Amino acid sequence: MNQIIRKHVRNFCFLLITFATGLFYFCFYLVGITFGVSMSFTLVGIPILYYVLRSTETFLQHERIRTKVYTDISVRTLPTRSQEEGSLWERVKAEFLDEHNWRAILGLMLQFGIGMVSLICATLFYLTPIILLLSPVLYLLDVPSISLFGIENKTFNISLFFMLLGAVSLWIGAYLGNSLVKMIGRYTRRLVKDFARR
């Protein structure tokens, strides 16, 4: 029983971290690439663009480790990329024209959408059932009433009904949350596999 609770807490944390990292990747690449391209006529923009485009390997390594720790889905190790020879401009050009690099960037930026879905599902699958389970306690403590489908928690009988609904939705939500975590883990594995083909 203790392992099951730990697994669901891990799934909940994984979904929240997916939202945070997805938001970070989206902002980092959107701002970094836009700023690097717009400032490329100066000496500042080209190094920024190079290091932003080069960061995909580091972020994919992070995603690989996070997926392994939270989901127990094995993701292959990324081979280390060798440093390109030539001037900075030639290295930026090589990174800019690398199709696998752009796929990885788009895949990481797409995690913002996946993260939004993860945040909503974490709330629905894990937090809402716990609040429903605690509805008799909330009723006795005279906490402002909970409303579900137009039914308000105004009597003790309704709070017991909410508690029963919370128990059922906790069981269903845990199953759905586990399925969502596995889907995100498989998405990460495919992203890393595609990047490793380069």
Side-chain angles (χ1 to χ4, degrees), residues 21-67:
T21 56
L23 179 63
F24 170 74
Y25 296 146
F26 184 78
C27 294
F28 177 79
Y29 283 115
L30 186 68
V31 172
I33 292 171
T34 304
F35 185 72
V37 169
S38 64
M39 296 297 286
S40 61
F41 64 91
T42 67
L43 294 175
V44 177
I46 293 173
I48 289 173
L49 190 59
Y50 174 71
Y51 288 111
V52 166
L53 293 175
R54 187 95 178 146
S55 66
T56 52
E57 182 181 356
T58 305
F59 291 144
L60 285 175
Q61 285 285 12
H62 167 67
E63 286 298 309
R64 184 185 75 77
I65 293 167
R66 185 172 65 92
T67 300

Side-chain angles (χ1 to χ4, degrees), residues 85-154:
E85 297 295 324
S87 67
L88 183 61
W89 176 251
E90 289 170 347
R91 286 184 282 168
V92 169
K93 186 178 175 185
E95 290 291 331
F96 207 77
L97 296 176
D98 187 4
E99 179 186 340
H100 291 286
N101 201 30
W102 282 107
R103 280 189 192 170
I105 288 170
L106 289 175
L108 288 170
M109 287 181 75
L110 197 88
Q111 283 203 342
F112 176 61
I114 294 170
M116 291 294 288
V117 171
S118 297
L119 181 66
I120 293 167
C121 289
T123 305
L124 288 176
F125 297 159
Y126 295 104
L127 290 182
T128 305
I130 291 172
I131 291 171
L132 289 174
L133 277 172
L134 295 174
S135 58
V137 176
L138 296 174
Y139 171 76
L140 292 174
L141 293 175
D142 203 26
V143 174
S145 64
I146 307 168
S147 179
L148 185 70
F149 303 120
I151 303 170
E152 289 192 26
N153 188 17
K154 289 188 175 180

Side-chain angles (χ1 to χ4, degrees), residues 15-25 115:
L15 292 175
L16 292 182
I17 293 170
T18 300
F19 169 71
T21 56
L23 179 63
F24 170 74
Y25 296 146

